[in-house]
Amino acid sequence: MARFGYLLLLAATLSGAVASPVDEQEMLGDPAPLAAGQDWSWTDCGTDSHIVHINSIKISPDPPKRGEELTIIVDGVASEDVQDGAYADVTVKVGVIKLLQKEFDICEEALKANASIQCPVEKGTHKVIQKVALPREIPPAQFNVNIEAYTGDDDDLACVKLTMDFRPKRGSIFSW
């Protein structure tokens, strides 16, 4: 639980530069583009079989800004304890182009980041506040992040999808 909000945005910031046209990729990629005026969105894609469900994700500043510290607040509930061995498969895409696909040990990452919640995570409601430094070099693109998390026994733990748009907005020519 502690690492899900952090992993969402960490995965988005780990991406490298993208040299191909973003507009064509978005027509082919999923999920659907963000609503007008929206810079990011998230969805808990978990089912009843998932142990952890995210109730809310809030960020500050909103929208996120390149080269600035981002504060992420995640509220969620665990229907069972989360033990060592839990892991998350994280995929980051721009359109149909896969930039990152990596497995993270959730408990190990929480320890490295000195997260406010460490494994084992007890059953119940939790609030995690994490700060992440966003690199200035994030390319101007819309990133789609998919996180599927599992217990050490490969049972469904959590599922979260995040879309974040770092493209300049109309009228903000100098924002890059």
Side-chain angles (χ1 to χ4, degrees):
M1 168 62 192
R3 298 300 301 148
F4 293 122
Y6 178 71
L7 283 174
L8 291 171
L9 295 170
L10 173 65
T13 62
L14 290 175
S15 61
V18 177
S20 53
V22 174
D23 292 336
E24 290 178 26
Q25 294 171 22
E26 288 177 352
M27 290 173 21
L28 299 172
D30 81 287
L34 293 167
Q38 193 175 22
D39 292 303
W40 70 283
S41 68
W42 68 276
T43 303
D44 181 327
C45 48
T47 64
D48 290 341
S49 68
H50 287 82
I51 295 168
V52 174
H53 288 278
I54 305 300
N55 296 326
S56 71
I57 299 175
K58 297 175 185 166
I59 63 171
S60 177
D62 185 358
K65 298 185 183 347
R66 294 181 195 94
E68 292 187 14
E69 183 174 79
L70 180 68
T71 300
I72 308 150
I73 302 170
V74 179
D75 287 307
V77 63
S79 60
E80 299 175 22
D81 292 353
V82 178
Q83 303 294 331
D84 283 328
Y87 65 96
D89 290 327
V90 178
T91 304
V92 180
K93 291 183 178 182
V94 172
V96 296
I97 298 174
K98 192 180 299 181
L99 301 175
L100 173 76
Q101 184 167 13
K102 186 171 181 179
E103 183 177 293
F104 291 91
D105 181 306
I106 294 170
C107 299
E108 183 180 305
E109 293 296 320
L111 189 60
K112 283 184 201 175
N114 197 26
S116 59
I117 295 179
Q118 299 290 323
C119 292
V121 176
E122 294 181 1
K123 172 182 174 178
T125 302
H126 299 278
K127 181 178 207 166
V128 178
I129 301 173
Q130 188 70 43
K131 294 183 185 281
V132 178
L134 294 179
R136 176 128 180 85
E137 298 79 16
I138 296 173
Q142 180 174 304
F143 296 88
N144 298 311
V145 182
N146 186 49
I147 299 173
E148 295 182 29
Y150 303 94
T151 67
D153 295 327
D154 293 326
D155 293 327
D156 292 335
L157 184 61
C159 181
V160 180
K161 292 180 187 260
L162 173 80
T163 300
M164 190 164 287
D165 193 347
F166 285 99
R167 294 175 297 183
K169 306 301 177 251
R170 291 183 190 242
S172 61
I173 297 172
F174 299 106
S175 68
W176 173 240

